[in-house]
Amino acid sequence: MAVPTINAVINFSTGPAFAQAFLIGSGILGTNVLADSAAVIVDVSDQVNYIQTQSGRSALADQFQTGTLTLRIVDQNGDFNPTNVTGPYYGLLTPMKKVQITATYNSITYPIFAGFITSYVNTQPKDATEVAYTTISAVDAMRLAQNAQVSTVSGATAGDLSGTRINQILDQIDWPASARLIDAGQTTLQADPGTARTSLDAMQTVADSEYGAFFVDFNGEFVFKDRDTAVSSIADTPTVFNDDGTGIPYTNAKWLLNDDLIFNSATVTRTGGSPMTATNAASIAKYFIHSYNLQDLLMQTDAVALDYARAYVASRAETSIRCEAIELDLYTPNYDTGIVAALSLEFFDPITVSTTQPGGSVLEDTLQVFSVSNTITPNSFRTVLGTLEPVIDGFILGYSALDEDVLSY
């Protein structure tokens, strides 16, 4: 039975870049990173006992969260004991060193996680007959952005597009240009407010002002999707999962009907502007009021802020049953399409899930992937895909023809 091969690599060099160091006279220009000395890169794949990764967007917070990794290594020789002066990594075992997890299947290598080590926990056995472990915890670059404070952002003037502003903030914290994928953006912004805040807060404010998305991908790159990209992704051909043999099989589909994502009153306020409010009377009468409030955004006009409020209410005034998550077992025999899907699907990719209910009725929905978690051991590999409705649900900002009897402001 063909299954993915897991690769776990620790890079003991400093700095945010994950590539091998590039020395003058050696290396590959455009691939490697210019440095004074070669990075110490260690492949610990054959020592791995357990891997858990988690990354994605919180539905309730409406933002992407810091991705996390738990990596447990069999450490019978104490190699990962920071005080072991005879160990091969003595002097290198400090926080914020880089770690990458990938999976190779059919000669293609897929990224699973890239981030920075926050802790090493050594678990010693009672006696020599038991196994010693070192458990490494890591986070992705969202944590670095949270730790980096900014105030004045160089070059951030009125009229910047949102993608330009994201790049300016990343420049401010010296994040390499090779490790970002930034859309140009559709919204023009005010000048940067120049207040003290984290760089993550600054970039999430820009993403909110755009009605876009800001996150770290599985390669460890910062990604900014503007609203057009976020909307258009749902029109791509979906990957189909079902339980009748015509699509990719799965387990543990979680179908959910609740009011968590209902918002029928939205107030959006830009810096220096007035609160712009949109409501949906029919939704309020049906579900009671569910309010959404965003302040200190950076769009240039109140009209654009009102567009945002209207779009949000138009997207969230109703609810329906949706598939919140499905699980894929990559050790299932003859599961090639499922393995490729689990390893290749990214945030915003559309999937269609169908589930046959007792009595023969069928639940079906097309959603987007918004979270991915992996649990891997030497004998198992399970992936959980978390899904949500599209961020804007097909509604393009730029209000023009909504029903005035339904939407008020």
Side-chain angles (χ1 to χ4, degrees):
M1 180 177 67
V3 296
T5 300
I6 299 301
N7 317 295
V9 173
I10 299 173
N11 185 331
F12 287 111
S13 67
T14 57
F18 286 90
Q20 169 62 291
F22 172 74
L23 305 181
I24 300 299
S26 66
I28 304 172
L29 190 61
T31 299
N32 303 129
V33 178
L34 188 63
D36 295 328
S37 61
V40 178
I41 297 179
V42 180
D43 188 334
V44 297
S45 305
D46 60 354
Q47 297 172 257
V48 171
N49 174 267
Y50 175 84
I51 295 173
Q52 172 70 53
T53 69
Q54 175 67 53
S55 58
R57 175 171 167 257
S58 164
L60 295 181
D62 215 13
Q63 288 180 331
F64 283 87
Q65 306 297 298
T66 299
T68 60
L69 163 71
T70 299
L71 173 66
R72 191 167 66 198
I73 296 172
V74 176
D75 190 14
Q76 290 292 73
N77 298 322
D79 291 345
F80 287 87
N81 174 4
T83 65
N84 180 4
V85 296
T86 63
Y89 317 127
Y90 181 71
L92 299 174
L93 295 168
T94 60
M96 293 293 110
K97 296 300 172 66
K98 292 165 284 194
V99 58
Q100 285 179 288
I101 308 297
T102 60
T104 301
Y105 183 70
N106 282 346
S107 301
I108 299 174
T109 297
Y110 301 88
I112 292 178
F113 179 87
F116 302 86
I117 295 171
T118 55
S119 69
Y120 309 82
V121 177
N122 303 105
T123 303
Q124 300 302 319
K126 293 180 180 179
D127 56 58
T129 64
E130 298 181 6
V131 177
Y133 297 103
T134 292
T135 301
I136 291 174
S137 297
V139 293
D140 68 19
M142 294 284 267
R143 171 75 171 273
L144 273 64
Q146 178 64 34
N147 290 341
Q149 292 281 323
V150 297
S151 54
T152 303
V153 177
S154 299
T157 57
D160 286 337
L161 285 171
S162 52
T164 299
R165 185 65 53 82
I166 293 284
N167 275 318
Q168 290 164 341
I169 298 168
L170 289 172
D171 289 343
Q172 195 76 24
I173 64 173
D174 296 324
W175 189 262
S178 60
R180 32 176 129 160
L181 297 170
I182 310 299
D183 283 350
Q186 305 296 318
T187 299
T188 55
L189 305 180
Q190 305 176 38
D192 183 79
T195 56
R197 71 272 197 212
T198 71
S199 64
L200 180 59
D201 286 341
M203 290 184 283
Q204 286 177 332
T205 296
V206 173
D208 286 341
S209 301
E210 167 70 31
Y211 209 157
F214 181 72
F215 58 91
V216 173
D217 67 12
F218 305 137
N219 282 308
E221 299 172 320
F222 278 116
V223 179
F224 171 63
K225 288 185 178 292
D226 65 25
R227 61 177 180 265
D228 281 1
T229 305
V231 169
S232 63
S233 299
I234 193 63
D236 295 342
T237 301
T239 302
V240 177
F241 297 88
N242 59 39
D243 57 0
D244 64 4
T246 61
I248 300 171
Y250 60 86
T251 60
N252 296 329
K254 183 179 180 181
W255 290 88
L256 178 67
L257 175 61
N258 63 18
D259 70 339
D260 284 353
L261 301 184
I262 294 174
F263 290 100
N264 46 37
S265 175
T267 299
V268 176
T269 309
R270 69 185 182 94
T271 297
S274 301
M276 296 288 105
T277 299
T279 60
N280 186 302
S283 176
I284 292 172
K286 186 175 182 179
Y287 300 116
F288 303 102
I289 194 164
H290 289 60
S291 298
Y292 177 80
N293 188 3
L294 271 181
Q295 301 179 4
D296 300 323
L297 299 189
L298 294 175
M299 59 276 289
Q300 289 188 300
T301 68
D302 284 345
V304 174
L306 181 57
D307 279 348
Y308 189 142
R310 288 165 163 164
Y312 206 88
V313 170
S315 298
R316 303 298 183 89
E318 268 298 337
T319 189
S320 61
I321 192 167
R322 60 185 174 86
C323 182
E324 186 177 54
I326 57 174
E327 183 174 322
L328 310 180
D329 181 356
L330 277 59
Y331 272 56
T332 300
N334 303 315
Y335 199 52
D336 180 73
T337 55
I339 293 172
V340 172
L343 297 178
S344 62
L345 284 169
E346 300 177 344
F347 300 142
F348 287 92
D349 285 346
I351 66 173
T352 296
V353 181
S354 299
T355 302
T356 304
Q357 298 292 291
S361 63
V362 176
L363 291 170
E364 182 172 293
D365 203 0
T366 297
L367 310 104
Q368 289 176 308
V369 174
F370 274 111
S371 70
V372 179
S373 64
N374 296 285
T375 303
I376 307 166
T377 72
N379 300 307
S380 66
F381 192 146
R382 291 182 175 270
T383 299
V384 176
L385 302 176
T387 59
L388 284 170
E389 301 288 349
V391 172
I392 312 181
D393 200 17
F395 181 87
I396 307 297
L397 285 179
Y399 165 88
S400 60
L402 292 177
D403 185 346
E404 296 283 355
D405 294 331
V406 174
L407 189 66
S408 61
Y409 52 92

